[in-house]
Amino acid sequence: MRNILFLSALLLSILLRAQIIVPTPAKLDLKNGDCLLRRNELVVSADSVALGACSLFAETLFEGDECNFTTDSLSARLLFRVDTFLPSEGYRLLVDEQCVRVYASDYPGFVYAVQSLRQLAQMRGDGSVTFPCVEVCDSPRLVWRSFMLDSGRQYQSVATIKKYIDMLSMLKMNYFHWHLTEGLGWRLQIKSYSMLTEKGAFVASGDEQQGFYTQEEVRDIVNYARRRAVTIVPEIDFPGHAEAALTAYPQFSCFGEPIGIPREGFTKNIFCAGKDSVLIFLRDVLDEVCQLFPSQYIHLGGDEAPKDNWDACPDCRRRVASLGLGDSHNLQRWLSAQMASYLASKGRKAIFWEDVIVHDGYPLPSNVIIQWWNYRTRGDAALKDARRNNYPVIANTNYYTYLNFPTSPWRGYTKERTFDVETLYNENPSYKASLHYNNIIGIGCSLWCDYGLTENMLDERLFPRIFVLAQQMWGSSLPSFPEFGENIKSIMNFFSVAGYSKK
Ligand SMILES: [Zn+2]
């Protein structure tokens, strides 16, 4: 009987504390005992690179209490030390009853250790926190782990953007791919072309489709993300998906006429590639983008650009003829190459959606990365093209990394365009390809906000499927689905407490 009572108490203590880290660490060794930290015991000894992670620890676990830094390691309850032998973004965590020790070789590693500690923590009513005694050794499988949010079709508040940056950091995803320009709205303030946002941010009709991000807000968001080891990769989509910009500046279209705004999808009205003024405009925009975003990577879009106007436009036809490009598809490659080269001159890399390499032709510079997406229509054709031409690839196939595809039919999403968490777990082509091809630098997932997907619907699309994607990006292995399913329940509780909701 005593044994049963003891076992029950043990089980209860385990149930109360999830002791689950998602994505699953490479190695987790749970030991006996706990480490209790009271509010007045935040005595920290830290190497300078870890200071931001220390303050994140105090802010998230002790409601903003300040750390009390000491140079005396023996009196510290928290130790953050550089270990140059650990891999980039990796960390080692050692918790015993006296001390929490964190080792990493770089800032992201320290942040990820803190995020793991948050998931292990048991919050107590008096404001103190206990951690299980544990040893964790962990590092990512893939260097690129991204989430794309479509702020072009729907505007989201700055608070919402920060909420999802928090989510990324908690799930050890390192790039926030921010889709800032669309036919339905241009959301990034560009000071040298003020009409882009004065007019172009207000072309759609929905209540939540009005608005843009000022440069001051963007700087704040970039810093917010950097502290959480998240890099923001802005996307300026051209030549297509540009109706909002062309409404503000019709002179950058082929025929200089007023542009209609699509209700859904995209139109044939794209930036003209024959006018030099368009190239100057794009370079000016990229100048401001590069000043705002320190990311090594800038996304230049390139998807879904119908060539009807280019084929009829005298300026575009002249460009094709004078450069011997042959056709308008090659004109897009030429335009893409011009802008990628411009980014190269600034020491940046250019990411394009796969459409840019659908047709062979004009050579792209060596700083180009291809984002593979159109699996439903083209299977792995883009992956093959990229492999043949030695382009690094981000695997972001619409099946099954497009989180706007719901789990059951909704508006334009018919049954064939739905998927559930188990299908994602077992069938994701992006994950499978990432196991086999070393030109795949990582996995991305995307949340497009078409059909009026507003802010209050984002959590429902993300959870719990985002946990599977985080696991596929980070984890050195996949547990069985039933086993991971249990982890999902526990980690969803953690996220619910943190303010996220599932369907
Ligand atoms: Zn043109």
Side-chain angles (χ1 to χ4, degrees), residues 65-86:
D65 278 10
E66 302 272 317
C67 294
N68 180 7
F69 288 102
T70 176
T71 52
D72 174 18
S73 313
L74 292 176
S75 67
R77 299 291 312 278
L78 288 153
L79 208 64
F80 286 74
R81 286 280 178 266
V82 170
D83 179 346
T84 53
F85 289 102
L86 289 170

Side-chain angles (χ1 to χ4, degrees), residues 165-321:
I165 289 169
D166 279 334
M167 176 195 76
L168 293 190
S169 184
M170 287 192 267
L171 292 174
K172 303 186 176 76
M173 293 164 71
N174 55 354
Y175 290 99
F176 176 52
H177 169 181
W178 199 5
H179 187 75
L180 283 162
T181 71
E182 253 305 326
L184 288 167
W186 182 289
R187 308 297 178 196
L188 176 65
Q189 182 184 32
I190 299 294
K191 293 194 171 171
S192 54
Y193 295 89
S194 61
M195 293 298 282
L196 283 173
T197 45
E198 284 173 21
K199 194 166 186 176
F202 302 95
V203 295
S205 56
D207 289 343
E208 293 192 28
Q209 290 172 299
Q210 317 301 317
F212 63 91
Y213 306 97
T214 66
Q215 295 202 351
E216 195 179 347
E217 286 172 331
V218 167
R219 284 192 196 92
D220 173 50
I221 290 168
V222 166
N223 287 331
Y224 186 90
R226 180 167 26 205
R227 184 161 173 248
R228 288 154 181 79
V230 173
T231 299
I232 301 189
V233 178
E235 180 180 349
I236 304 299
D237 201 350
F238 74 86
H241 291 274
E243 292 89 345
L246 296 175
T247 299
Y249 294 97
Q251 64 268 39
F252 298 144
S253 66
C254 281
F255 304 110
E257 294 166 348
I259 301 295
I261 300 299
R263 284 180 63 85
E264 293 296 340
F266 51 90
T267 72
K268 63 183 182 182
N269 292 307
I270 67 177
F271 282 112
C272 179
K275 295 179 177 64
D276 289 342
S277 60
V278 172
L279 276 79
I280 293 167
F281 163 80
L282 290 172
R283 288 192 195 106
D284 289 345
V285 168
L286 292 181
D287 284 345
E288 293 195 35
V289 166
C290 288
Q291 279 174 9
L292 284 169
F293 297 95
S295 167
Q296 189 189 357
Y297 302 91
I298 306 292
H299 204 301
L300 298 180
D303 57 322
E304 298 174 323
K307 304 300 186 301
D308 310 50
N309 283 6
W310 284 9
D311 287 336
C313 167
D315 296 322
C316 287
R317 291 165 66 103
R318 195 176 307 120
R319 181 90 75 195
V320 168

